[in-house]
Amino acid sequence: IYTNDGKFEKAIESFKKAVVLVKKQGTPAVEASLYNEIGNAEADMGNNSPAFNAYQKALKIIPDTALSL
């Protein structure tokens, strides 16, 4: 919702909170997806280095995923 409204910083904050919850549940696909969304939001703001770092985290969780491509 936040990304659709251009509220990328709020979106990133929400995604990071969700990552903490998802890690406790042990659902790596969802965790990787959240890191991908963080990367997308960072990239939309022009923050290439944080976006790259988020995509790297997603790929470390599920190396064979196409989420970050």
Side-chain angles (χ1 to χ4, degrees):
I1 294 172
Y2 292 122
T3 54
N4 291 341
D5 292 340
K7 298 176 182 175
F8 301 113
E9 291 172 0
K10 187 71 173 171
I12 291 167
E13 179 184 324
S14 295
F15 291 139
K16 287 181 177 180
K17 287 179 183 179
V19 166
V20 172
L21 297 173
V22 167
K23 281 185 179 185
K24 293 178 183 179
Q25 294 176 344
T27 51
V30 175
E31 184 180 350
S33 179
L34 287 167
Y35 278 119
N36 187 64
E37 292 298 332
I38 292 168
N40 290 342
E42 291 284 10
D44 286 342
M45 292 191 306
N47 299 333
N48 295 329
S49 183
F52 179 78
N53 291 336
Y55 293 139
Q56 286 290 94
K57 287 179 182 180
L59 286 170
K60 284 182 182 178
I61 296 166
I62 303 178
D64 296 329
T65 186
L67 282 174
S68 299
L69 301 177

mmCIF file of all heavy atoms in Angstrom, residues 2-47:
data_model
loop_
_atom_site.group_PDB
_atom_site.id
_atom_site.type_symbol
_atom_site.label_atom_id
_atom_site.label_comp_id
_atom_site.label_asym_id
_atom_site.label_seq_id
_atom_site.Cartn_x
_atom_site.Cartn_y
_atom_site.Cartn_z
ATOM 1 N N TYR A 2 1.901 1.253 0.863
ATOM 2 C CA TYR A 2 2.747 2.448 0.948
ATOM 3 C C TYR A 2 3.511 2.697 -0.346
ATOM 4 O O TYR A 2 3.664 3.843 -0.761
ATOM 5 C CB TYR A 2 3.728 2.341 2.114
ATOM 6 C CG TYR A 2 3.073 2.377 3.473
ATOM 7 C CD1 TYR A 2 3.241 1.339 4.370
ATOM 8 C CD2 TYR A 2 2.301 3.465 3.867
ATOM 9 C CE1 TYR A 2 2.658 1.379 5.631
ATOM 10 C CE2 TYR A 2 1.705 3.509 5.110
ATOM 11 C CZ TYR A 2 1.885 2.462 5.994
ATOM 12 O OH TYR A 2 1.303 2.499 7.235
ATOM 13 N N THR A 3 3.982 1.629 -0.975
ATOM 14 C CA THR A 3 4.742 1.826 -2.210
ATOM 15 C C THR A 3 3.856 2.387 -3.314
ATOM 16 O O THR A 3 4.309 3.186 -4.121
ATOM 17 C CB THR A 3 5.425 0.531 -2.686
ATOM 18 O OG1 THR A 3 4.454 -0.509 -2.802
ATOM 19 C CG2 THR A 3 6.522 0.099 -1.735
ATOM 20 N N ASN A 4 2.609 1.970 -3.354
ATOM 21 C CA ASN A 4 1.684 2.487 -4.365
ATOM 22 C C ASN A 4 1.431 3.983 -4.187
ATOM 23 O O ASN A 4 1.135 4.687 -5.149
ATOM 24 C CB ASN A 4 0.358 1.736 -4.323
ATOM 25 C CG ASN A 4 0.489 0.309 -4.784
ATOM 26 O OD1 ASN A 4 1.450 -0.044 -5.450
ATOM 27 N ND2 ASN A 4 -0.470 -0.523 -4.415
ATOM 28 N N ASP A 5 1.532 4.456 -2.933
ATOM 29 C CA ASP A 5 1.319 5.867 -2.631
ATOM 30 C C ASP A 5 2.612 6.668 -2.674
ATOM 31 O O ASP A 5 2.609 7.858 -2.355
ATOM 32 C CB ASP A 5 0.689 6.023 -1.246
ATOM 33 C CG ASP A 5 -0.737 5.498 -1.189
ATOM 34 O OD1 ASP A 5 -1.368 5.364 -2.248
ATOM 35 O OD2 ASP A 5 -1.217 5.218 -0.075
ATOM 36 N N GLY A 6 3.726 6.007 -3.024
ATOM 37 C CA GLY A 6 5.003 6.699 -3.065
ATOM 38 C C GLY A 6 5.631 6.916 -1.703
ATOM 39 O O GLY A 6 6.582 7.679 -1.568
ATOM 40 N N LYS A 7 5.114 6.250 -0.692
ATOM 41 C CA LYS A 7 5.641 6.375 0.673
ATOM 42 C C LYS A 7 6.666 5.261 0.906
ATOM 43 O O LYS A 7 6.467 4.348 1.701
ATOM 44 C CB LYS A 7 4.510 6.305 1.686
ATOM 45 C CG LYS A 7 3.506 7.430 1.530
ATOM 46 C CD LYS A 7 2.350 7.296 2.486
ATOM 47 C CE LYS A 7 1.343 8.416 2.262
ATOM 48 N NZ LYS A 7 0.157 8.257 3.092
ATOM 49 N N PHE A 8 7.779 5.369 0.203
ATOM 50 C CA PHE A 8 8.754 4.289 0.188
ATOM 51 C C PHE A 8 9.439 4.069 1.530
ATOM 52 O O PHE A 8 9.683 2.927 1.926
ATOM 53 C CB PHE A 8 9.793 4.531 -0.907
ATOM 54 C CG PHE A 8 9.180 4.626 -2.274
ATOM 55 C CD1 PHE A 8 9.195 5.813 -2.972
ATOM 56 C CD2 PHE A 8 8.566 3.525 -2.845
ATOM 57 C CE1 PHE A 8 8.621 5.900 -4.229
ATOM 58 C CE2 PHE A 8 7.982 3.608 -4.100
ATOM 59 C CZ PHE A 8 8.008 4.799 -4.799
ATOM 60 N N GLU A 9 9.728 5.136 2.250
ATOM 61 C CA GLU A 9 10.375 4.984 3.549
ATOM 62 C C GLU A 9 9.465 4.253 4.528
ATOM 63 O O GLU A 9 9.913 3.399 5.296
ATOM 64 C CB GLU A 9 10.798 6.342 4.095
ATOM 65 C CG GLU A 9 11.946 6.950 3.293
ATOM 66 C CD GLU A 9 12.270 8.376 3.694
ATOM 67 O OE1 GLU A 9 11.617 8.922 4.606
ATOM 68 O OE2 GLU A 9 13.193 8.938 3.084
ATOM 69 N N LYS A 10 8.195 4.579 4.520
ATOM 70 C CA LYS A 10 7.217 3.897 5.378
ATOM 71 C C LYS A 10 7.081 2.438 4.958
ATOM 72 O O LYS A 10 6.967 1.550 5.813
ATOM 73 C CB LYS A 10 5.874 4.623 5.309
ATOM 74 C CG LYS A 10 4.857 4.110 6.267
ATOM 75 C CD LYS A 10 5.196 4.489 7.687
ATOM 76 C CE LYS A 10 4.056 4.099 8.617
ATOM 77 N NZ LYS A 10 4.401 4.254 10.019
ATOM 78 N N ALA A 11 7.115 2.187 3.667
ATOM 79 C CA ALA A 11 7.034 0.815 3.166
ATOM 80 C C ALA A 11 8.231 -0.003 3.652
ATOM 81 O O ALA A 11 8.065 -1.129 4.117
ATOM 82 C CB ALA A 11 6.966 0.812 1.645
ATOM 83 N N ILE A 12 9.418 0.572 3.551
ATOM 84 C CA ILE A 12 10.628 -0.132 3.979
ATOM 85 C C ILE A 12 10.547 -0.446 5.465
ATOM 86 O O ILE A 12 10.875 -1.561 5.892
ATOM 87 C CB ILE A 12 11.881 0.699 3.643
ATOM 88 C CG1 ILE A 12 12.073 0.754 2.124
ATOM 89 C CG2 ILE A 12 13.118 0.136 4.332
ATOM 90 C CD1 ILE A 12 13.077 1.783 1.659
ATOM 91 N N GLU A 13 10.095 0.503 6.253
ATOM 92 C CA GLU A 13 9.929 0.290 7.686
ATOM 93 C C GLU A 13 8.982 -0.885 7.965
ATOM 94 O O GLU A 13 9.268 -1.748 8.790
ATOM 95 C CB GLU A 13 9.390 1.573 8.321
ATOM 96 C CG GLU A 13 9.144 1.502 9.807
ATOM 97 C CD GLU A 13 8.516 2.788 10.339
ATOM 98 O OE1 GLU A 13 8.865 3.876 9.844
ATOM 99 O OE2 GLU A 13 7.672 2.689 11.242
ATOM 100 N N SER A 14 7.883 -0.927 7.241
ATOM 101 C CA SER A 14 6.908 -2.006 7.412
ATOM 102 C C SER A 14 7.472 -3.347 6.963
ATOM 103 O O SER A 14 7.264 -4.374 7.626
ATOM 104 C CB SER A 14 5.632 -1.700 6.631
ATOM 105 O OG SER A 14 5.001 -0.558 7.154
ATOM 106 N N PHE A 15 8.186 -3.363 5.832
ATOM 107 C CA PHE A 15 8.786 -4.603 5.348
ATOM 108 C C PHE A 15 9.816 -5.137 6.338
ATOM 109 O O PHE A 15 9.885 -6.345 6.587
ATOM 110 C CB PHE A 15 9.452 -4.390 3.984
ATOM 111 C CG PHE A 15 8.499 -4.133 2.857
ATOM 112 C CD1 PHE A 15 8.796 -3.175 1.891
ATOM 113 C CD2 PHE A 15 7.301 -4.822 2.734
ATOM 114 C CE1 PHE A 15 7.933 -2.931 0.833
ATOM 115 C CE2 PHE A 15 6.426 -4.584 1.685
ATOM 116 C CZ PHE A 15 6.745 -3.628 0.735
ATOM 117 N N LYS A 16 10.600 -4.239 6.941
ATOM 118 C CA LYS A 16 11.615 -4.677 7.904
ATOM 119 C C LYS A 16 10.972 -5.260 9.157
ATOM 120 O O LYS A 16 11.466 -6.246 9.720
ATOM 121 C CB LYS A 16 12.557 -3.523 8.255
ATOM 122 C CG LYS A 16 13.504 -3.192 7.122
ATOM 123 C CD LYS A 16 14.452 -2.072 7.481
ATOM 124 C CE LYS A 16 15.436 -1.799 6.354
ATOM 125 N NZ LYS A 16 16.369 -0.713 6.687
ATOM 126 N N LYS A 17 9.882 -4.679 9.606
ATOM 127 C CA LYS A 17 9.148 -5.239 10.746
ATOM 128 C C LYS A 17 8.598 -6.618 10.395
ATOM 129 O O LYS A 17 8.621 -7.539 11.213
ATOM 130 C CB LYS A 17 8.009 -4.312 11.162
ATOM 131 C CG LYS A 17 8.483 -3.061 11.859
ATOM 132 C CD LYS A 17 7.315 -2.170 12.230
ATOM 133 C CE LYS A 17 7.780 -0.877 12.877
ATOM 134 N NZ LYS A 17 6.646 0.006 13.209
ATOM 135 N N ALA A 18 8.117 -6.756 9.180
ATOM 136 C CA ALA A 18 7.583 -8.049 8.739
ATOM 137 C C ALA A 18 8.685 -9.101 8.657
ATOM 138 O O ALA A 18 8.443 -10.268 8.983
ATOM 139 C CB ALA A 18 6.890 -7.893 7.392
ATOM 140 N N VAL A 19 9.895 -8.708 8.251
ATOM 141 C CA VAL A 19 11.015 -9.651 8.178
ATOM 142 C C VAL A 19 11.268 -10.269 9.552
ATOM 143 O O VAL A 19 11.475 -11.474 9.675
ATOM 144 C CB VAL A 19 12.297 -8.976 7.639
ATOM 145 C CG1 VAL A 19 13.522 -9.839 7.885
ATOM 146 C CG2 VAL A 19 12.159 -8.689 6.159
ATOM 147 N N VAL A 20 11.237 -9.450 10.586
ATOM 148 C CA VAL A 20 11.469 -9.937 11.948
ATOM 149 C C VAL A 20 10.427 -10.997 12.309
ATOM 150 O O VAL A 20 10.771 -12.060 12.850
ATOM 151 C CB VAL A 20 11.440 -8.767 12.961
ATOM 152 C CG1 VAL A 20 11.482 -9.278 14.390
ATOM 153 C CG2 VAL A 20 12.592 -7.810 12.701
ATOM 154 N N LEU A 21 9.182 -10.731 11.991
ATOM 155 C CA LEU A 21 8.115 -11.689 12.297
ATOM 156 C C LEU A 21 8.241 -12.964 11.475
ATOM 157 O O LEU A 21 8.055 -14.068 11.984
ATOM 158 C CB LEU A 21 6.748 -11.046 12.054
ATOM 159 C CG LEU A 21 6.402 -9.845 12.927
ATOM 160 C CD1 LEU A 21 5.096 -9.213 12.461
ATOM 161 C CD2 LEU A 21 6.306 -10.262 14.386
ATOM 162 N N VAL A 22 8.563 -12.817 10.225
ATOM 163 C CA VAL A 22 8.644 -13.959 9.312
ATOM 164 C C VAL A 22 9.818 -14.868 9.683
ATOM 165 O O VAL A 22 9.715 -16.095 9.583
ATOM 166 C CB VAL A 22 8.738 -13.467 7.851
ATOM 167 C CG1 VAL A 22 9.134 -14.574 6.911
ATOM 168 C CG2 VAL A 22 7.412 -12.864 7.438
ATOM 169 N N LYS A 23 10.928 -14.285 10.122
ATOM 170 C CA LYS A 23 12.078 -15.095 10.530
ATOM 171 C C LYS A 23 11.696 -16.049 11.658
ATOM 172 O O LYS A 23 12.149 -17.184 11.696
ATOM 173 C CB LYS A 23 13.238 -14.208 10.975
ATOM 174 C CG LYS A 23 14.017 -13.621 9.845
ATOM 175 C CD LYS A 23 15.229 -12.858 10.358
ATOM 176 C CE LYS A 23 16.017 -12.304 9.191
ATOM 177 N NZ LYS A 23 17.259 -11.666 9.625
ATOM 178 N N LYS A 24 10.855 -15.578 12.562
ATOM 179 C CA LYS A 24 10.400 -16.410 13.682
ATOM 180 C C LYS A 24 9.526 -17.563 13.205
ATOM 181 O O LYS A 24 9.485 -18.609 13.824
ATOM 182 C CB LYS A 24 9.641 -15.561 14.704
ATOM 183 C CG LYS A 24 10.517 -14.551 15.410
ATOM 184 C CD LYS A 24 9.709 -13.701 16.368
ATOM 185 C CE LYS A 24 10.593 -12.640 17.009
ATOM 186 N NZ LYS A 24 9.823 -11.780 17.926
ATOM 187 N N GLN A 25 8.833 -17.368 12.104
ATOM 188 C CA GLN A 25 7.937 -18.391 11.566
ATOM 189 C C GLN A 25 8.662 -19.415 10.711
ATOM 190 O O GLN A 25 8.134 -20.477 10.442
ATOM 191 C CB GLN A 25 6.821 -17.755 10.748
ATOM 192 C CG GLN A 25 5.883 -16.910 11.566
ATOM 193 C CD GLN A 25 4.845 -16.224 10.704
ATOM 194 O OE1 GLN A 25 4.976 -16.135 9.494
ATOM 195 N NE2 GLN A 25 3.806 -15.721 11.347
ATOM 196 N N GLY A 26 9.844 -19.072 10.265
ATOM 197 C CA GLY A 26 10.608 -20.002 9.437
ATOM 198 C C GLY A 26 10.049 -20.178 8.039
ATOM 199 O O GLY A 26 9.960 -21.292 7.547
ATOM 200 N N THR A 27 9.694 -19.087 7.407
ATOM 201 C CA THR A 27 9.183 -19.141 6.032
ATOM 202 C C THR A 27 10.147 -18.372 5.123
ATOM 203 O O THR A 27 9.950 -17.182 4.866
ATOM 204 C CB THR A 27 7.761 -18.563 5.941
ATOM 205 O OG1 THR A 27 7.750 -17.282 6.567
ATOM 206 C CG2 THR A 27 6.750 -19.467 6.621
ATOM 207 N N PRO A 28 11.181 -19.052 4.640
ATOM 208 C CA PRO A 28 12.217 -18.359 3.869
ATOM 209 C C PRO A 28 11.727 -17.722 2.579
ATOM 210 O O PRO A 28 12.239 -16.671 2.187
ATOM 211 C CB PRO A 28 13.258 -19.444 3.597
ATOM 212 C CG PRO A 28 12.578 -20.737 3.846
ATOM 213 C CD PRO A 28 11.474 -20.466 4.807
ATOM 214 N N ALA A 29 10.761 -18.297 1.922
ATOM 215 C CA ALA A 29 10.274 -17.711 0.671
ATOM 216 C C ALA A 29 9.634 -16.353 0.928
ATOM 217 O O ALA A 29 9.834 -15.410 0.146
ATOM 218 C CB ALA A 29 9.286 -18.643 -0.007
ATOM 219 N N VAL A 30 8.908 -16.241 2.019
ATOM 220 C CA VAL A 30 8.276 -14.963 2.357
ATOM 221 C C VAL A 30 9.343 -13.955 2.774
ATOM 222 O O VAL A 30 9.291 -12.782 2.386
ATOM 223 C CB VAL A 30 7.218 -15.146 3.471
ATOM 224 C CG1 VAL A 30 6.644 -13.804 3.896
ATOM 225 C CG2 VAL A 30 6.119 -16.082 3.013
ATOM 226 N N GLU A 31 10.328 -14.417 3.544
ATOM 227 C CA GLU A 31 11.420 -13.536 3.953
ATOM 228 C C GLU A 31 12.168 -12.997 2.730
ATOM 229 O O GLU A 31 12.446 -11.798 2.634
ATOM 230 C CB GLU A 31 12.380 -14.285 4.873
ATOM 231 C CG GLU A 31 13.480 -13.429 5.419
ATOM 232 C CD GLU A 31 14.433 -14.180 6.321
ATOM 233 O OE1 GLU A 31 14.161 -15.339 6.690
ATOM 234 O OE2 GLU A 31 15.471 -13.603 6.659
ATOM 235 N N ALA A 32 12.469 -13.855 1.789
ATOM 236 C CA ALA A 32 13.156 -13.433 0.570
ATOM 237 C C ALA A 32 12.307 -12.438 -0.210
ATOM 238 O O ALA A 32 12.819 -11.440 -0.734
ATOM 239 C CB ALA A 32 13.494 -14.643 -0.299
ATOM 240 N N SER A 33 11.022 -12.676 -0.262
ATOM 241 C CA SER A 33 10.121 -11.766 -0.963
ATOM 242 C C SER A 33 10.103 -10.386 -0.305
ATOM 243 O O SER A 33 10.080 -9.357 -0.994
ATOM 244 C CB SER A 33 8.710 -12.357 -0.995
ATOM 245 O OG SER A 33 7.821 -11.482 -1.637
ATOM 246 N N LEU A 34 10.137 -10.364 1.016
ATOM 247 C CA LEU A 34 10.157 -9.090 1.726
ATOM 248 C C LEU A 34 11.446 -8.321 1.446
ATOM 249 O O LEU A 34 11.408 -7.104 1.231
ATOM 250 C CB LEU A 34 9.986 -9.318 3.225
ATOM 251 C CG LEU A 34 8.581 -9.728 3.662
ATOM 252 C CD1 LEU A 34 8.604 -10.243 5.090
ATOM 253 C CD2 LEU A 34 7.617 -8.559 3.530
ATOM 254 N N TYR A 35 12.580 -9.025 1.441
ATOM 255 C CA TYR A 35 13.837 -8.356 1.114
ATOM 256 C C TYR A 35 13.806 -7.830 -0.324
ATOM 257 O O TYR A 35 14.340 -6.765 -0.627
ATOM 258 C CB TYR A 35 15.039 -9.276 1.317
ATOM 259 C CG TYR A 35 15.487 -9.338 2.749
ATOM 260 C CD1 TYR A 35 15.475 -10.529 3.452
ATOM 261 C CD2 TYR A 35 15.931 -8.196 3.422
ATOM 262 C CE1 TYR A 35 15.892 -10.599 4.773
ATOM 263 C CE2 TYR A 35 16.341 -8.247 4.741
ATOM 264 C CZ TYR A 35 16.321 -9.447 5.416
ATOM 265 O OH TYR A 35 16.729 -9.501 6.723
ATOM 266 N N ASN A 36 13.173 -8.569 -1.201
ATOM 267 C CA ASN A 36 13.027 -8.107 -2.585
ATOM 268 C C ASN A 36 12.200 -6.818 -2.627
ATOM 269 O O ASN A 36 12.545 -5.875 -3.349
ATOM 270 C CB ASN A 36 12.371 -9.198 -3.430
ATOM 271 C CG ASN A 36 12.355 -8.834 -4.889
ATOM 272 O OD1 ASN A 36 13.393 -8.711 -5.508
ATOM 273 N ND2 ASN A 36 11.164 -8.663 -5.435
ATOM 274 N N GLU A 37 11.138 -6.773 -1.858
ATOM 275 C CA GLU A 37 10.306 -5.567 -1.810
ATOM 276 C C GLU A 37 11.072 -4.385 -1.218
ATOM 277 O O GLU A 37 10.917 -3.248 -1.674
ATOM 278 C CB GLU A 37 9.030 -5.829 -1.017
ATOM 279 C CG GLU A 37 8.067 -6.781 -1.695
ATOM 280 C CD GLU A 37 7.552 -6.254 -3.028
ATOM 281 O OE1 GLU A 37 7.470 -5.023 -3.215
ATOM 282 O OE2 GLU A 37 7.220 -7.074 -3.889
ATOM 283 N N ILE A 38 11.899 -4.657 -0.207
ATOM 284 C CA ILE A 38 12.750 -3.602 0.348
ATOM 285 C C ILE A 38 13.672 -3.073 -0.745
ATOM 286 O O ILE A 38 13.841 -1.857 -0.907
ATOM 287 C CB ILE A 38 13.549 -4.124 1.559
ATOM 288 C CG1 ILE A 38 12.611 -4.408 2.738
ATOM 289 C CG2 ILE A 38 14.647 -3.124 1.960
ATOM 290 C CD1 ILE A 38 13.251 -5.185 3.880
ATOM 291 N N GLY A 39 14.261 -3.992 -1.493
ATOM 292 C CA GLY A 39 15.132 -3.594 -2.595
ATOM 293 C C GLY A 39 14.412 -2.756 -3.629
ATOM 294 O O GLY A 39 14.936 -1.746 -4.111
ATOM 295 N N ASN A 40 13.206 -3.143 -3.956
ATOM 296 C CA ASN A 40 12.420 -2.386 -4.935
ATOM 297 C C ASN A 40 12.129 -0.971 -4.442
ATOM 298 O O ASN A 40 12.246 -0.002 -5.207
ATOM 299 C CB ASN A 40 11.107 -3.104 -5.238
ATOM 300 C CG ASN A 40 11.298 -4.381 -6.014
ATOM 301 O OD1 ASN A 40 12.343 -4.603 -6.617
ATOM 302 N ND2 ASN A 40 10.296 -5.238 -5.987
ATOM 303 N N ALA A 41 11.752 -0.867 -3.170
ATOM 304 C CA ALA A 41 11.442 0.454 -2.615
ATOM 305 C C ALA A 41 12.697 1.329 -2.569
ATOM 306 O O ALA A 41 12.639 2.525 -2.899
ATOM 307 C CB ALA A 41 10.828 0.310 -1.220
ATOM 308 N N GLU A 42 13.814 0.739 -2.165
ATOM 309 C CA GLU A 42 15.066 1.499 -2.138
ATOM 310 C C GLU A 42 15.436 1.954 -3.554
ATOM 311 O O GLU A 42 15.848 3.106 -3.760
ATOM 312 C CB GLU A 42 16.202 0.660 -1.540
ATOM 313 C CG GLU A 42 16.068 0.378 -0.060
ATOM 314 C CD GLU A 42 16.403 1.547 0.844
ATOM 315 O OE1 GLU A 42 16.579 2.682 0.358
ATOM 316 O OE2 GLU A 42 16.483 1.330 2.059
ATOM 317 N N ALA A 43 15.291 1.064 -4.518
ATOM 318 C CA ALA A 43 15.613 1.409 -5.904
ATOM 319 C C ALA A 43 14.697 2.517 -6.421
ATOM 320 O O ALA A 43 15.152 3.425 -7.128
ATOM 321 C CB ALA A 43 15.503 0.169 -6.796
ATOM 322 N N ASP A 44 13.429 2.473 -6.051
ATOM 323 C CA ASP A 44 12.490 3.513 -6.475
ATOM 324 C C ASP A 44 12.876 4.889 -5.922
ATOM 325 O O ASP A 44 12.565 5.910 -6.532
ATOM 326 C CB ASP A 44 11.070 3.169 -6.032
ATOM 327 C CG ASP A 44 10.451 2.056 -6.867
ATOM 328 O OD1 ASP A 44 10.965 1.787 -7.978
ATOM 329 O OD2 ASP A 44 9.466 1.450 -6.399
ATOM 330 N N MET A 45 13.574 4.895 -4.778
ATOM 331 C CA MET A 45 14.029 6.158 -4.195
ATOM 332 C C MET A 45 15.408 6.556 -4.706
ATOM 333 O O MET A 45 15.944 7.592 -4.343
ATOM 334 C CB MET A 45 14.072 6.062 -2.665
ATOM 335 C CG MET A 45 12.717 5.938 -2.031
ATOM 336 S SD MET A 45 12.740 6.138 -0.221
ATOM 337 C CE MET A 45 13.945 4.938 0.296
ATOM 338 N N GLY A 46 15.998 5.706 -5.545
ATOM 339 C CA GLY A 46 17.320 5.998 -6.083
ATOM 340 C C GLY A 46 18.458 5.571 -5.186
ATOM 341 O O GLY A 46 19.602 5.949 -5.405
ATOM 342 N N ASN A 47 18.155 4.768 -4.179
ATOM 343 C CA ASN A 47 19.156 4.280 -3.232
ATOM 344 C C ASN A 47 19.694 2.940 -3.716
ATOM 345 O O ASN A 47 19.271 1.876 -3.253
ATOM 346 C CB ASN A 47 18.557 4.149 -1.830
ATOM 347 C CG ASN A 47 18.060 5.463 -1.293
ATOM 348 O OD1 ASN A 47 18.552 6.514 -1.669
ATOM 349 N ND2 ASN A 47 17.063 5.413 -0.432
#
